[in-house]
Amino acid sequence: MVYNKNREWALKLAILGDPAVGKTSLIDKYITNSFKESYTPTLGVNIVSKDIRIDEINSKIRLLLWDIAGQDKYELTRQNFFQGCVGALLVYDITRYSTFEQITIKWLEDFKKFSRPDGVYILIGNKLDLKDSIKVSSEEGKSLSQKIDAAEFIETSAKYGENVEEAFKKLVLYILKKSGVKFERN
Ligand code: G3D
Ligand code: MG
């Protein structure tokens, strides 16, 4: 995390999860508020940035969102991928149970191993709009988030934008709070 006297911050965040859980769609929705119907698997690592204002602390923050796709490439660059990373969204697809299991088996493990020990993470159950195909209940999501000590559990739909903005904003707020930033009420 970088901080300067103009109260400008840069935060590196990782979006983690199995292929096709909706990582890129969540980022696209958050960045441009658009949803791409056609799916192009991202190659390697994609980094996008977004500047946000946090009025509560009168600061401008540049978010650097790190997105992976090709798992092999990611294996090669894990150290670099996580260097300086202060937070993560751990994403699973509520319609595929295996993606939920991989959160603890793989993604949380990687984050803990390669990222900062005080890194903050939020558990995300994505594709909330696919109500008829739910394989992972909200209760299971909630209970896993408590078990792994996630800052929060949020269900999202990258397709319709439900809770997407909230997920990123909450992650940022948790990171700032954990790093000792004082929040004042205006
Ligand atoms: P990834 O970056 O994690 O690999 P993508 O995943 O963002 O590329 O999304 C994979 C597929 O899931 C895409 O579908 C995408 O449109 C779809 N998807 C992502 N988020 C949602 C969501 O919230 N709801 C629904 N219904 N679909 C979602 P295709 O069919 O193009 O492969
Ligand atoms: Mg992707």
Side-chain angles (χ1 to χ4, degrees):
M1 180 158 49
V2 180
Y3 175 64
N4 71 25
K5 61 180 177 341
N6 299 324
R7 295 185 77 76
E8 288 180 2
W9 306 67
L11 300 183
K12 175 175 170 180
L13 308 176
I15 319 303
L16 303 174
D18 271 12
V21 295
K23 300 180 296 295
T24 306
S25 301
L26 284 165
I27 293 172
D28 285 353
K29 191 75 189 177
Y30 181 54
I31 298 289
T32 63
N33 221 35
S34 70
F35 179 83
K36 293 188 189 126
E37 282 292 345
S38 67
Y39 166 51
T40 332
T42 332
L43 294 168
V45 174
N46 261 357
I47 305 164
V48 288
S49 84
K50 180 177 167 95
D51 292 336
I52 58 167
R53 265 206 71 79
I54 303 280
D55 290 331
E56 291 93 325
I57 53 168
N58 188 30
S59 290
K60 202 172 98 186
I61 300 186
R62 170 154 298 178
L63 303 181
L64 303 168
L65 306 175
W66 285 55
D67 179 22
I68 28 158
Q71 287 218 15
D72 295 343
K73 266 221 155 124
Y74 164 76
E75 297 292 338
L76 290 174
T77 57
R78 270 195 292 198
Q79 301 274 6
N80 293 335
F81 185 85
F82 284 111
Q83 182 138 40
C85 179
V86 289
L89 295 181
L90 303 176
V91 187
Y92 66 90
D93 172 350
I94 65 166
T95 71
R96 284 184 298 144
Y97 204 86
S98 62
T99 67
F100 180 65
E101 292 172 325
Q102 286 296 100
I103 294 290
T104 26
I105 296 172
K106 181 174 171 71
W107 302 110
L108 179 65
E109 186 93 337
D110 270 15
F111 184 74
K112 292 215 152 155
K113 196 150 132 204
F114 296 105
S115 188
R116 298 158 57 110
D118 61 346
V120 178
Y121 43 90
I122 286 182
L123 182 65
I124 302 289
N126 187 43
K127 308 200 186 178
L128 188 55
D129 55 287
L130 298 176
K131 302 269 184 226
D132 295 338
S133 319
I134 295 179
K135 298 284 181 340
V136 187
S137 70
S138 302
E139 290 70 30
E140 280 178 284
K142 177 92 199 146
S143 122
L144 178 65
S145 76
Q146 288 164 349
K147 195 175 128 208
I148 65 175
D149 232 357
E152 183 124 0
F153 168 59
I154 302 174
E155 288 179 306
T156 56
S157 166
K159 183 163 188 170
Y160 296 106
E162 197 174 349
N163 290 336
V164 173
E165 174 110 32
E166 186 188 358
F168 284 96
K169 176 140 195 212
K170 281 201 163 165
L171 181 61
V172 171
L173 290 176
Y174 280 117
I175 291 165
L176 294 176
K177 279 193 177 139
K178 198 160 181 178
S179 65
V181 174
K182 296 269 183 302
F183 286 79
E184 293 157 19
R185 298 214 162 266
N186 296 326

